[in-house]
Amino acid sequence: MIYLTRKIEFSAAHYYHNPAWSPEENARVFGKCANLKGHGHNYVLEVTVAGTPDPVTGMVLDLKELKEILEREIMQRMDHRHLNHEVPELAGKIPTTENVAATIWNLLQPKITKGKLHRVRLYENPDLFVDCFGDGR
Amino acid sequence: MIYLTRKIEFSAAHYYHNPAWSPEENARVFGKCANLKGHGHNYVLEVTVAGTPDPVTGMVLDLKELKEILEREIMQRMDHRHLNHEVPELAGKIPTTENVAATIWNLLQPKITKGKLHRVRLYENPDLFVDCFGDGR
Amino acid sequence: MIYLTRKIEFSAAHYYHNPAWSPEENARVFGKCANLKGHGHNYVLEVTVAGTPDPVTGMVLDLKELKEILEREIMQRMDHRHLNHEVPELAGKIPTTENVAATIWNLLQPKITKGKLHRVRLYENPDLFVDCFGDGR
Amino acid sequence: MIYLTRKIEFSAAHYYHNPAWSPEENARVFGKCANLKGHGHNYVLEVTVAGTPDPVTGMVLDLKELKEILEREIMQRMDHRHLNHEVPELAGKIPTTENVAATIWNLLQPKITKGKLHRVRLYENPDLFVDCFGDGR
Amino acid sequence: MIYLTRKIEFSAAHYYHNPAWSPEENARVFGKCANLKGHGHNYVLEVTVAGTPDPVTGMVLDLKELKEILEREIMQRMDHRHLNHEVPELAGKIPTTENVAATIWNLLQPKITKGKLHRVRLYENPDLFVDCFGDGR
Amino acid sequence: MIYLTRKIEFSAAHYYHNPAWSPEENARVFGKCANLKGHGHNYVLEVTVAGTPDPVTGMVLDLKELKEILEREIMQRMDHRHLNHEVPELAGKIPTTENVAATIWNLLQPKITKGKLHRVRLYENPDLFVDCFGDGR
């Protein structure tokens, strides 16, 4: 079993807001992230696929195919987008790194058919990242 | 003469839009950056000050003082902010890396009084950055 | 289950010395690290907490609270300190990356009460790091 | 149990070619990597050894010894080499990151006798890496 | 005056060989790089253009246009290529970082017409890089 | 003219102390760095040499020779050393990044005889570095 990881980056805006709370409560819990004008990040996404290398090609999966999946499912949905307003899968959720990573897992898991999605790691910045393993761990 | 550089990071949202143009023209020139919902970046800022080390302290300038200037002039103005809507110095300008870097130069230059501001380098992402030297080069 | 990782840095001095050995034996086993004048590192610490995101906040734990724990338990104890002389939890131990990481695990584990401490990773430099999972692996 | 990781780098050339296929088929499957003139990478190798720190030295294993193993087994075999033509263990295999990582695992596993080889991670470039855990995972 | 830098990466093989010398002399001067089987690198190229931001767009130059120039002049010529055998501009030269950087300068300088090429920086690996400023410095 | 830069790393301990001041004054000016037990850093040193590539070798200077100079002048003097107590050239000086960089310039400048030392850049950590150009700028 080999685990292959591909890294991509996307740029997005977001803010944290619970509509059931007062502005003061939002500010208390979410700090600077509660600013409704929004801010943003260069997100770094690492996608890990587990599998056995094909004896003919030596590859766990076709990297061109993985690139197309990531382009279609992630880049077109999230790159240069506002996560609070433009990503239907995040509607009604606070776009924390935790929730965005879990959403990416759910988007990618059914599309990875050669090998098996093992891990989604999402960096909000170089000092904060989240790992999601689905049910597998 | 010694050049001392301090690096800080801030997170901000922005988009590119020229109100004199049609949506099509904005999209043609600015591409994905024209999305009016906005996107964002982890900006990395390098501030370089030139000076002669004080023979008593061995330092070009007091790093605590520089930190306070950067906190007051840059972090409070731009961190977790929307550059199109919340930074008065950028009003009416397209917040390109070029314009943001020049704005930062203008904000910092008069505040650096021990030594002399030499360069402002601003990374929009690890693959794109801008250097501003004021009139000095 | 989501794994959230926060990265911090601290600067410390140390040396390796076994008082039961001769200087020659210390030099043979520990090489340059045996220099009793000491040397030092910019340590990079990654702390990973496992948990389920709170459905209301979307967060595994409150990052402000984690920051306070790391400030109190790690930064005040180890940042700008000499690991051989100023950290009581390391007294009588050789402050190898292995021992420092295990000490950090023991300091943090009881303090993480929202979610569960999953991993402590400590880089002595970019080319050498240690992972500690407590009893969990 | 502690996991210690040492990172090294080596530079090598390679190309992807299946001699049973036509040039067109090789180009279709392997893209730019099919160029028989070859290209190359700065490979980054992370070797992780699991063990219990020796109570006397505080170390999982002797880093000088690990360095010698890596020099002898990996650097002399692969650094400044052409992976298709100069590494006997890769003869007849396509030198994908997957196959090179598995080969490195097989070379190192019997040589690590203090502690136990836990993981080999091989970066072909900063955006693509492979993890190999042998049978252990 | 603003200096804008774009970073790209390419992968290439090369070796160092002076045909006027004996194999021993080549090995003595060029060390491991003299291996005629070749080795390779992930080259990182930083291209800096100096100019005044257009008051209408806020940009020194059109980044899409720069990307096309870099794709056509550098990526198609050098990415996944063997620098000794496939780049006509390097024919008869030893493809040292110095010579490759100067060749890139000569390729790009006439193509940059909005603004002015200021610097080409080429990393052979993270620990070795070369800067070329043409005649301008 | 080509500028070639080689990067090396060393690990050292230091503290900041002016013996003419009271402990309180030292703490006020130098903050955490005033701790007399010392702390330390992984210093990163970039050494830039300017020259014209030799037409026969394609190289500004012999990298093996540069490596020997850096080993002899810098690594043996400063790696795994205490900068306050073991480096004669720093005696009586506060080992700030500024002073250490200037000392490195003075050590290397007379030793670089093929080409000309252009710049010494010293990182104390990834967020703070100092450039020294001697008299040349």
Side-chain angles (χ1 to χ4, degrees), chain A residues 114-127:
Chain A
K114 186 95 185 294
K116 193 166 155 313
L117 186 61
H118 173 68
R119 189 185 76 181
V120 161
R121 174 172 286 187
L122 184 67
Y123 288 82
E124 186 179 283
N125 61 52
D127 298 338

Side-chain angles (χ1 to χ4, degrees), chain B residues 2 13 15 26 30 46 50-51 57-58 70 74 93 96 106 120 125:
Chain B
I2 292 279
Y15 58 78
N26 274 287
F30 294 131
E46 289 183 4
T57 64
L70 295 176
I74 309 303
K93 292 183 192 164
T96 56
N106 290 335
V120 161
N125 61 51

Side-chain angles (χ1 to χ4, degrees), chain D residues 9 11-13 32-33 35 37-43 71 75 79-82 85-86 124-127, chain E residues 9 11-13 32-33 35 37-43 71 75 79-82 85-86 124-127:
Chain D
E9 300 190 38
S11 160
K32 285 178 165 184
C33 297
N35 176 5
K37 300 285 190 189
H39 63 284
H41 300 288
N42 303 321
Y43 287 92
E71 175 62 30
M75 296 305 279
D79 187 35
H80 284 69
R81 298 289 184 186
H82 197 301
H85 302 308
E86 298 186 275
E124 186 179 283
N125 61 51
D127 298 338
Chain E
E9 302 190 36
S11 160
K32 285 179 165 185
C33 296
N35 175 8
K37 302 284 190 188
H39 63 284
H41 300 287
N42 304 319
Y43 288 93
E71 174 63 30
M75 296 304 279
D79 187 35
H80 284 69
R81 299 288 183 187
H82 197 301
H85 302 307
E86 299 186 276
E124 185 179 284
N125 60 52
D127 298 338

